[in-house]
Amino acid sequence: MERMKIGKKNWGKLSLLLLPLAAIIVGLAVWGPEALARYRDRGVLNQIQEQESGEGTEGYRYSLGGNEKVYILAQCLNNQVLPESDQNAMTRNDLENLELTGTYAFVANRKDASGQEVPESTGIELGNQGIRELKSLGVLPDEVQELTENDYRADLYSAIDVPEPQNNVLVWKIGLSTGARNADRQNRLLDAYVDADTGKVYEFYVRTEISSWAQVDADGIAAAWAEYMELGQPTEYENTNPLSENTPYFRKYTFAGTEEGDIVVTIGYYEGINELYLKISR
């Protein structure tokens, strides 16, 4: 009996100790995480933190498909509104604070998509890349010579959809320099527009050894160029105006462009000077 009284007495003391301990545990469970979070925040807030990123240094660029790029450039060439003369535009350092008017603008530029100035030689190299690719596809004759920096000029332009300026295409406008235009032009590229990112050729005029329109496989050229530009299959353009070109030797094709309209591509030939051309502009 005496032992039972002692046991109850000890259990009562133990219960008195457990109650405060339980209260402490409950308090830690409720307030502990919040206090720990505040402590960690003090080590992070109001301090500059450095962290390496695996992303590249280039800014965001809106990705355009082949049809969209060709359509935008074609519209710019057809409806271009130059807000200033080419001479003034080439003296600018960038396109900031430039007031554009109209729906499409074709503006002289000096920097690539990452904001870095690019040398003229880059455009010449891309032009030669395009010539080689078009030769391999049968779009250009094998006799066409590659470009040289001494004889050609390459200027960088931005073709811009003004209402939605994120839709823009960076291109090199390549042509024979003034002095070289008076030299022998046979088997030489005269003018071209070349994509500044991919080196693909949107439009070209070239002197060849082709002596007649009958030797030009316009359908084959259109199909090969369309695949090269990722445009899909060409469809022959209906209701062609015979007076739309300065030569009777041409054929027009259409491709899907954007919701605003289709792309019209012309393949033509100037008899007498043996000049072959493919253009997306009027």
Side-chain angles (χ1 to χ4, degrees):
M1 190 66 147
E2 186 66 27
R3 289 182 180 178
M4 290 180 64
K5 289 181 179 180
I6 293 173
K8 288 180 179 180
K9 188 176 182 180
N10 290 338
W11 176 253
K13 291 180 180 180
L14 183 60
S15 298
L16 292 174
L17 293 174
L18 290 175
L19 288 174
L21 181 61
I24 293 172
I25 293 173
V26 172
L28 290 175
V30 173
W31 302 105
E34 183 178 348
L36 180 61
R38 285 199 300 268
Y39 175 78
R40 289 178 176 176
D41 288 344
R42 284 198 297 270
V44 176
L45 296 176
N46 300 321
Q47 295 187 30
I48 297 175
Q49 304 293 322
E50 294 185 2
Q51 183 176 357
E52 292 187 5
S53 172
E55 299 296 328
T57 57
E58 282 194 17
Y60 170 77
R61 296 189 65 201
Y62 184 76
S63 179
L64 297 171
N67 295 67
E68 293 173 302
K69 295 175 78 170
V70 175
Y71 182 81
I72 290 172
L73 179 57
Q75 293 303 308
C76 285
L77 296 178
N78 292 335
N79 306 291
Q80 60 180 290
V81 177
L82 294 177
E84 55 189 342
S85 69
D86 278 352
Q87 182 176 359
N88 288 338
M90 291 303 294
T91 63
R92 289 186 293 101
N93 292 326
D94 52 48
L95 297 176
E96 293 181 2
N97 303 319
L98 180 63
E99 293 185 3
L100 301 176
T101 60
T103 304
Y104 293 92
F106 194 55
V107 184
N109 201 349
R110 294 179 64 182
K111 297 182 179 180
D112 62 14
S114 63
Q116 301 297 315
E117 291 196 17
V118 286
E120 190 174 359
S121 59
T122 300
I124 301 297
E125 291 172 6
L126 285 172
N128 282 328
Q129 174 187 316
I131 288 175
R132 289 190 292 269
E133 291 176 344
L134 292 182
K135 282 183 181 181
S136 68
L137 295 171
V139 174
L140 287 178
D142 290 335
E143 296 79 15
V144 175
Q145 303 175 35
E146 293 197 3
L147 315 178
T148 58
E149 292 186 33
N150 291 334
D151 292 336
Y152 285 86
R153 175 171 178 170
D155 297 313
L156 196 60
Y157 281 80
S158 290
I160 306 170
D161 180 353
V162 176
E164 298 184 47
Q166 75 275 12
N167 296 342
N168 64 84
V169 184
L170 199 61
V171 297
W172 288 98
K173 181 180 180 182
I174 298 175
L176 273 172
S177 59
T178 304
R181 284 187 178 274
N182 298 323
D184 182 14
R185 304 184 191 181
Q186 187 174 12
N187 294 322
R188 303 189 77 176
L189 188 77
L190 302 182
D191 294 287
Y193 288 102
V194 179
D195 192 286
D197 293 322
T198 65
K200 291 188 176 182
V201 180
Y202 291 99
E203 185 171 302
F204 65 78
Y205 290 79
V206 61
R207 293 288 174 88
T208 70
E209 296 180 7
I210 298 172
S211 58
S212 70
W213 174 243
Q215 295 177 273
V216 178
D217 180 11
D219 291 344
I221 291 174
W225 179 82
E227 183 177 359
Y228 159 76
M229 296 299 296
E230 300 179 355
L231 297 182
Q233 290 298 316
T235 302
E236 190 165 357
Y237 187 72
E238 298 180 357
N239 302 320
T240 299
N241 182 354
L243 301 178
S244 62
E245 299 294 318
N246 294 324
T247 172
Y249 307 114
F250 68 91
R251 187 166 294 172
K252 290 181 179 290
Y253 304 86
T254 60
F255 300 86
T258 67
E259 294 179 357
E260 299 177 11
D262 293 334
I263 300 164
V264 178
V265 175
T266 307
I267 296 171
Y269 174 79
Y270 292 115
E271 192 175 41
I273 58 175
N274 301 341
E275 186 170 314
L276 176 69
Y277 65 86
L278 183 154
K279 66 177 184 175
I280 60 176
S281 58
R282 285 196 291 262

